[in-house]
Amino acid sequence: MQKKQIIPGLLLCGIAALLLPAFRQAQDPNVVLCVSYMRSNGIAMLTYTQDWDETFPTWSSNPDLYNKLRPYKTNFTYSFACPATHKVYQFNTALKGVSLASIEAPPSTEFSRDAATHPDGLISIAYVDGHVLHGGASLGDPTQNCVSNVYTLAQGIRLYTQDYDGNLPPLTNALQTQSALSNYVQNNSIFTCPVTGYSYQYNSSLSGTNLAQYSDIANIWLLQDGTSHPNDNISTTAFLDFHVFRKDWPNYQTSNKTQLCVGYQSSDAQAILLYAQDFDEILPNMNNANQTISLLHSYLRFDSKFICPETNIQFLFNSSLSNRSLATFGNLNHYWLMSDAAGHPDGQKTISYLSGATVHPGYNQLVVNDADCLRFLRQTLRATLLYTQDYDEVLPPMHSTNEFDAAISSYMVSPDFVFCPITQQPFAPIPGLSSMSVSSIQSPQETIILHDSRPHPDYKSNVGYLDGHASKTSIPRSDPGGPRRS
């Protein structure tokens, strides 16, 4: 089966919403992020079904579902938990193994929901068709949503041309266009502008033509509003290089320049990750900032904004990541992708990471969940078992973490995997098993060979077994000075 690519545009909607205080929940940016993460998960799930005969996956646990959806997400590390509640989302188990065609009403069938209410007393719910509501209503300014719709449609057309040898879809009839893009966008409501109520208009002269025949693609319009917005008499337009333009937009009504900086850098970082999707997960060359910005132009939702409004200095790219494959990295939160070139008046910098997270201390923070620690532990177990295959079924030296890590280093995809991303400590081997023959161990499925060096904040630790599986277990609490006195 042909693997469909992720439609990533909607991932950015919630991030941009951070910048618009007119939103009902603008006083709590985590509410907007939570909606964005839920939408990201829903898009990943729908993209999964495209690869598996329009059938939802089956899963035995949340970590099992996370692992199945991760290949279909741009935001790898932390988007399965709501930043407002700090709890993982609840997924609709009734969807397990169900055919998408058998669901009569996708817009009203739940995919996931918050496990707890937000500070505002409401919850967010994601639906099978890809839309998300918070407290029964959509977040966002209609003009912002219109811009997001145009961007997502432009990206859908871009993906269509990639699958059809550079040929654009039919654009002379709106219904034919919608049908052609159905595999590339997940929500049919985006074909209509939420401000005007009119369907978007396509450049019919481009219908079915090959993209390679055009030279000045940044100035050839591809789609636009069917009629201008009544409040400002301006239309939103996407061009043939797939960038989106709306005069004086984004017109963020906020005096908080740090908040603007977070939003701009987040959009820029997402553009880098979208670029990598199109180039076999290879990051762009970031040794020359101007050239990098030029490469990213068609992946931005708006005209380039690579300057922090607080410092008026251009963002820095991490040139050491140039042309590297995302597959070579372990904990994506360990690698910065973009950064402020200078500190803000609060002394802090805004930093974006390979995970897709953009952080400014005091505004938001990185979140890592248990699924990431288990994933890393399984990678370390896999490397351990590969070592035994090359050494006559004998376990590596395990008297210390340094000795163990050195022995399996050549079998690791990334050295990050030997660390738990929650405790930031290396996984500890069992010294008594050092250099033992695997055949001498009678119960591999019950023999622990690796474990967290110290418990997680919930006083539980992940442990790995000789047969390759990993699980979480409780660790008894004890005082450093000995047994607790009554």
Side-chain angles (χ1 to χ4, degrees), residues 16-23 26 141 144 249 251-254 259:
L18 272 169
L19 312 177
L20 296 166
F23 287 175
D141 169 68
Q144 172 66 52
W249 197 265
N251 184 22
Y252 301 129
Q253 301 298 318
T254 178
Q259 195 174 27

Side-chain angles (χ1 to χ4, degrees), residues 190-466:
I190 68 170
F191 290 93
T192 301
C193 173
V195 177
T196 67
Y198 283 86
S199 297
Y200 295 110
Q201 176 186 0
Y202 303 91
N203 188 344
S204 59
S205 67
L206 304 177
S207 183
T209 61
N210 193 280
L211 192 60
Q213 74 184 65
Y214 301 101
S215 56
D216 192 17
I217 58 177
N219 291 310
I220 300 174
W221 75 276
L222 176 63
L223 72 139
Q224 62 185 10
D225 274 312
T227 184
S228 58
H229 293 203
N231 58 317
D232 56 15
N233 201 35
I234 297 174
S235 293
T236 307
T237 304
F239 291 84
L240 198 52
D241 68 342
F242 309 111
H243 84 276
V244 175
F245 176 77
R246 191 171 198 278
K247 184 180 179 181
D248 299 327
W249 197 265
N251 184 22
Y252 301 129
Q253 301 298 318
T254 178
S255 60
N256 190 327
K257 293 183 179 180
T258 294
Q259 195 174 27
L260 285 173
C261 184
V262 171
Y264 290 166
Q265 192 178 126
S266 175
S267 177
D268 298 340
Q270 291 292 338
I272 294 175
L273 296 175
L274 296 180
Y275 174 98
Q277 283 186 3
D278 277 357
F279 291 89
D280 298 324
E281 302 299 310
I282 302 297
L283 293 165
N285 188 324
M286 294 182 284
N287 291 305
N288 182 293
N290 290 332
Q291 290 179 0
T292 304
I293 292 171
S294 178
L295 288 175
L296 299 178
H297 184 69
S298 63
Y299 297 92
L300 289 168
R301 300 180 68 248
F302 309 107
D303 281 353
S304 299
K305 297 208 177 278
F306 287 89
I307 296 176
C308 174
E310 184 68 84
T311 65
N312 288 318
I313 302 175
Q314 186 171 282
F315 297 128
L316 293 177
F317 297 98
N318 188 350
S319 59
S320 68
L321 305 184
S322 291
N323 303 315
R324 292 185 59 181
S325 170
L326 287 172
T328 63
F329 301 99
N331 187 346
L332 301 179
N333 275 334
H334 279 178
Y335 300 90
W336 71 275
L337 182 59
M338 296 182 66
S339 171
D340 274 321
H344 290 213
D346 61 8
Q348 303 288 346
K349 291 183 178 181
T350 304
I351 301 176
S352 296
Y353 297 86
L354 272 184
S355 64
T358 299
V359 177
H360 189 95
Y363 283 77
N364 52 7
Q365 60 185 357
L366 292 175
V367 179
V368 184
N369 58 42
D370 287 335
D372 295 300
C373 184
L374 278 171
R375 179 168 62 93
F376 283 27
L377 180 56
R378 291 190 184 102
Q379 288 286 346
T380 308
L381 285 170
R382 177 179 176 275
T384 305
L385 297 178
L386 290 174
Y387 175 99
T388 64
Q389 292 176 7
D390 284 352
Y391 287 88
D392 299 324
E393 299 300 313
V394 172
L395 288 166
M398 303 168 70
H399 294 296
S400 69
T401 55
N402 288 338
E403 181 184 46
F404 171 73
D405 294 346
I408 67 168
S409 61
S410 62
Y411 299 91
M412 297 293 293
V413 175
S414 167
D416 289 337
F417 286 128
V418 299
F419 287 83
C420 170
I422 294 177
T423 67
Q424 296 296 308
Q425 296 294 314
F427 297 116
I430 302 298
L433 299 178
S434 182
S435 301
M436 282 189 62
S437 171
V438 173
S439 61
S440 67
I441 301 175
Q442 295 183 352
S443 303
Q445 71 278 8
E446 298 176 0
T447 303
I448 296 175
I449 62 172
L450 288 171
H451 61 87
D452 272 313
S453 295
R454 67 185 186 196
H456 291 198
D458 60 2
Y459 298 100
K460 295 182 179 181
S461 289
N462 287 322
V463 294
Y465 296 84
L466 185 56

Side-chain angles (χ1 to χ4, degrees), residues 38-58:
M38 294 185 81
R39 185 182 292 114
S40 167
N41 295 332
I43 297 300
M45 177 69 89
L46 288 171
T47 309
Y48 175 100
T49 65
Q50 292 177 1
D51 278 356
W52 296 93
D53 297 327
E54 301 297 317
T55 301
F56 288 94
T58 57

